[in-house]
Amino acid sequence: ETSALNEDARIILDDMDLRGTDLNVALNAVVGSMLKHGYITQAANSILVSVENPDSEKGAALQKELTDEISGILKASSVEASVLSQTLEEDKELEALAETYGISMGKASMIRQIMAKDSRLTAADLAGLTINELNLLSSSHQIQLDSISSTGSASSDGYIGIEKAQSIALEHAKISASDVSKLKTELDAEDGVMVYEVEFVYDHTEYEYDINAKSGAVEKTKKEIDDDWKEHQHSGGNGSSSQ
């Protein structure tokens, strides 16, 4: 049986009737359709496989079989894939999360694990992201998804990159890179959009920028007095000494 949970899935299934077909045949049909419609590319190369089986040993074996099969299909299409896989158990809370956002139980499980490791991220932030974006986000935040096995690395080919994001932020602030300190950049998600979060300090002021990871547009800016300098002022330090 196949069930389309959202419009993307309806496009991928494309009225295919897979009942009674061999699992590997069905898998080839679905993954082939994902490739055909551009849901998997070299720039968005992650795919998540979730297995539900009350027998953990059989579930693990099936998980590995599917992972190997998908990796082979994508390699034959010249895509170096990042295949994520997990085995799920019945979970009413997870079912409710999946139903709320019109996503699979597997994706809901991945999102819940990410939120558990980083409380700043919400389901609303993450539900609209692709598996590749969730994969990249986990890597950027150094989040270890304990119950998910993975092969390969998520592609960031569709993004502008850290150096470009920093350049855009500094140009917008009209500040030279040589004049700033504490320059830090990481991939993040804001309101369902992947951004590079760029932070730096100039003239006792901390600047924060959200740069759209794909387009390079400045999504958000913020500046405030640098905490270290503020603390120094409150402690009575003036940066000078006498003997």
Side-chain angles (χ1 to χ4, degrees):
E1 180 185 353
T2 57
S3 301
L5 301 181
N6 52 36
E7 184 56 30
D8 290 325
R10 281 185 278 277
I11 292 169
I12 290 166
L13 289 177
D14 196 23
D15 295 326
M16 286 188 290
D17 184 1
L18 300 173
R19 285 176 298 179
T21 60
D22 180 80
L23 177 59
N24 287 345
V25 172
L27 194 63
N28 270 271
V30 172
V31 175
S33 184
M34 294 173 86
L35 286 161
K36 174 185 173 183
H37 289 98
Y39 286 94
I40 301 177
T41 65
Q42 191 54 55
N45 67 337
S46 299
I47 185 167
L48 174 65
V49 180
S50 303
V51 174
E52 292 181 62
N53 196 311
D55 186 322
S56 59
E57 191 173 315
K58 286 183 178 178
L62 183 56
Q63 186 178 323
K64 184 179 185 309
E65 179 187 339
L66 294 173
T67 297
D68 292 345
E69 182 70 19
I70 290 171
S71 296
I73 295 169
L74 296 180
K75 190 170 184 179
S77 297
S78 301
V79 175
E80 292 297 327
S82 175
V83 183
L84 310 173
S85 61
Q86 61 185 340
T87 298
L88 302 177
E89 297 179 356
E90 186 175 348
D91 186 324
K92 296 299 182 185
E93 183 183 304
L94 199 59
E95 288 177 12
L97 180 62
E99 187 174 344
T100 297
Y101 291 99
I103 57 178
S104 68
M105 287 267 290
K107 185 175 180 181
S109 174
M110 186 175 182
I111 286 171
R112 188 168 68 176
Q113 289 184 65
I114 292 172
M115 290 192 299
K117 298 291 178 71
D118 191 334
S119 59
R120 297 173 301 166
L121 298 169
T122 67
D125 286 329
L126 303 176
L129 300 180
T130 66
I131 295 300
N132 196 67
E133 289 170 334
L134 292 173
N135 198 3
L136 283 168
L137 194 63
S138 301
S139 177
S140 174
H141 287 228
Q142 297 182 324
I143 296 173
Q144 183 66 41
L145 301 177
D146 300 324
S147 67
I148 296 180
S149 301
S150 65
T151 63
S153 301
S155 172
S156 60
D157 289 356
Y159 294 164
I160 61 173
I162 288 176
E163 290 185 5
K164 181 65 175 177
Q166 291 175 346
S167 175
I168 291 170
L170 290 166
E171 186 177 334
H172 186 275
K174 297 180 171 58
I175 299 171
S176 170
S178 59
D179 293 330
V180 306
S181 61
K182 301 180 185 176
L183 180 59
K184 175 186 171 186
T185 305
E186 71 173 0
L187 201 55
D188 209 346
E190 289 287 344
D191 302 322
V193 176
M194 293 294 284
V195 298
Y196 285 104
E197 194 173 82
V198 183
E199 298 178 4
F200 56 86
V201 173
Y202 171 75
D203 193 23
H204 312 308
T205 302
E206 182 180 346
Y207 291 74
E208 293 182 13
Y209 276 84
D210 284 350
I211 307 297
N212 189 295
K214 291 183 178 178
S215 69
V218 178
E219 299 283 349
K220 189 188 298 183
T221 67
K222 177 184 175 183
K223 61 180 181 179
E224 58 188 10
I225 298 299
D226 178 43
D227 287 340
D228 289 344
W229 186 78
K230 193 190 302 182
E231 185 179 332
H232 179 69
Q233 292 298 102
H234 287 166
S235 68
N238 59 14
S240 64
S241 62
S242 59
Q243 293 181 347

